[in-house]
Amino acid sequence: MSRIRADKIWKNGKLVDWDDARVHVMSHALHYGTSWFEGIRCYQTKRGSEIFRLPEHVKRLFDSCKIYRTEIPFSWDEISEGILETIRANRFRECYIRPLVIRGYGSIGVNPLGAPVEVFLMVWEWGKYLGDEALEKGVDVRTSSWLRAAPNTFPSMAKAGGNYLNGGLIKMEAAVEGFAEGVAMDVNGYVSEGSGENIFLVHQGRVVTPPVGASILSGITRDSAITLLQERGVEVVQEQVPREMLYLADEIFFTGTAAEVTPVRSVDRIDVGSGSRGPITRQLQEDFFAYVRGEVPDRHGWMTAVYQSAGVPTP
Ligand code: PMP
């Protein structure tokens, strides 16, 4: 396995060498899961390197921390500018961006409030998350025996490190049985999401995706997909999805920063529709990739230039 690497990491406001971005073993986050993070992509577009929906990701990072009574010791602008600075320092044209906030080394004990807040901004080169073929052929998934956490246990609107223990169980269960991904239900038995992706179904001419109350992360690619579909005149509804609709859907696809727009071709070894990528999924992929590659004008203001930036707008 090749190890991810780049030159520089932004650590608490300063660029340090990759190997020097260390945390203490007594960091609260290592013991109790108190970390919050983002996953963002920078694309090489026709206009130069641009980050997809940077302000929305930075906002979600601040929101995740707010839910957990954690104040990030940097301003919105400092984090946004820090991300641009880190990409420039590593001279990447295209990369994945991982901001991470942790409760560090200070107090030990369950209460995180006494532990200092540390911030890291990392960037690296990362290809297609679910494999190169996945975007065209689709992936095989299983429904997970693990449920998403109940809404009154772990808040799913926070992108917290601890949530990914559940995600890891879903992903491992799928992987050891030869599936690309697992789809988890919420505690009410309705479809929630994949371990790192939101899910959409095409059923009887409508596009359906689980609502925010179904223990999903409110995905930024999900939001973008809804906008792009609606621009094509496709009706998109956010409503509870019973599990069996996964078997009856004409098309299913995942959305996510890492997964982008990935078709699902089978669920529990039952073909989705004809078992190959459907027309709505294909159209959305075309629209999504044309947008992020800068082949169309940035009509929604979703892109932030990296190397000729004039500041990052507030969403
Ligand atoms: N759900 C989960 C659990 C995730 O980890 C992700 C990836 N951040 C998503 C959904 C998709 O969110 P986004 O489109 O903002 O990347």
Side-chain angles (χ1 to χ4, degrees), residues 32 67 154 165 232 234-235 240 288 294:
Y32 304 110
I67 293 169
F154 300 100
L165 284 172
R232 287 274 173 199
V234 178
E235 186 189 354
Q240 287 178 316
F288 177 82

Side-chain angles (χ1 to χ4, degrees), residues 13-314:
K14 289 197 188 75
L15 287 170
V16 300
D17 287 340
W18 182 270
D19 292 327
D20 296 335
R22 295 170 190 276
V23 296
H24 199 277
V25 72
M26 287 293 278
S27 295
H28 197 273
L30 287 175
H31 302 248
Y32 304 110
T34 41
S35 66
W36 304 275
F37 66 99
E38 274 303 315
I40 316 173
R41 267 191 200 262
C42 170
Y43 287 95
Q44 169 134 45
T45 79
K46 295 228 144 127
R47 300 173 292 254
S49 298
E50 295 183 352
I51 303 173
F52 185 59
R53 307 205 69 174
L54 177 61
E56 291 84 354
H57 281 284
V58 173
K59 174 164 180 11
R60 191 170 65 187
L61 183 67
F62 277 80
D63 286 353
S64 297
C65 292
K66 184 176 184 188
I67 293 169
Y68 282 92
R69 302 173 194 272
T70 293
E71 204 171 319
I72 298 179
F74 295 93
S75 70
W76 191 301
D77 281 350
E78 285 169 326
I79 298 295
S80 305
E81 288 297 335
I83 288 171
L84 296 172
E85 194 187 337
T86 312
I87 300 175
R88 291 179 196 136
N90 286 288
R91 295 178 302 278
F92 286 144
R93 299 271 135 217
E94 193 160 72
C95 59
Y96 184 83
I97 304 158
R98 167 60 53 83
L100 174 72
V101 178
I102 67 164
R103 284 284 183 174
Y105 169 30
S107 64
I108 201 77
V110 173
N111 185 352
L113 295 175
V117 180
E118 296 199 63
V119 185
F120 298 84
L121 305 174
M122 292 152 268
V123 300
W124 64 83
E125 285 174 310
W126 207 12
K128 300 295 169 222
Y129 180 63
L130 294 172
D132 281 330
E133 261 192 37
L135 287 176
E136 205 188 308
K137 298 244 162 32
V139 291
D140 301 309
V141 306
R142 61 160 287 169
T143 52
S144 185
S145 69
W146 297 101
L147 301 181
R148 273 293 185 209
N152 53 356
T153 57
F154 300 100
S156 65
M157 283 180 80
K159 193 168 168 60
N163 292 3
Y164 288 81
L165 284 172
N166 174 255
L169 290 168
I170 294 165
K171 187 83 183 183
M172 285 189 289
E173 179 185 61
V176 296
E177 292 178 16
F179 294 94
E181 184 56 286
V183 175
M185 308 299 130
D186 66 14
V187 282
N188 298 310
Y190 292 98
V191 175
S192 177
E193 60 178 354
S195 69
E197 309 85 11
N198 293 115
I199 192 164
F200 287 73
L201 294 78
V202 182
H203 185 245
Q204 296 181 342
R206 298 186 315 168
V207 174
V208 189
T209 192
V212 173
S215 297
I216 65 165
L217 180 74
S218 187
I220 291 162
T221 322
R222 172 182 181 274
D223 176 76
S224 313
I226 292 171
T227 301
L228 294 174
L229 287 163
Q230 287 173 341
E231 281 182 328
R232 287 274 173 199
V234 178
E235 186 189 354
V236 186
V237 292
Q238 300 180 42
E239 61 183 34
Q240 287 178 316
V241 177
R243 170 172 165 171
E244 63 272 27
M245 203 186 269
L246 294 169
Y247 308 130
L248 302 179
D250 299 313
E251 301 180 35
I252 300 180
F253 57 87
F254 283 135
T255 63
T257 297
E260 299 172 309
V261 178
T262 298
V264 173
R265 70 176 172 197
S266 74
V267 181
D268 298 333
R269 304 282 181 224
I270 299 176
D271 280 352
V272 176
S274 59
S276 61
R277 178 174 62 178
I280 293 182
T281 310
R282 183 201 301 239
Q283 180 69 65
L284 176 64
Q285 285 183 313
E286 275 173 31
D287 290 343
F288 177 82
F289 286 112
Y291 204 107
V292 299
R293 290 179 187 139
E295 289 157 10
V296 294
D298 180 16
R299 60 190 179 279
H300 297 297
W302 285 348
M303 310 302 288
T304 300
V306 175
Y307 292 97
Q308 64 276 8
S309 179
V312 181
T314 305

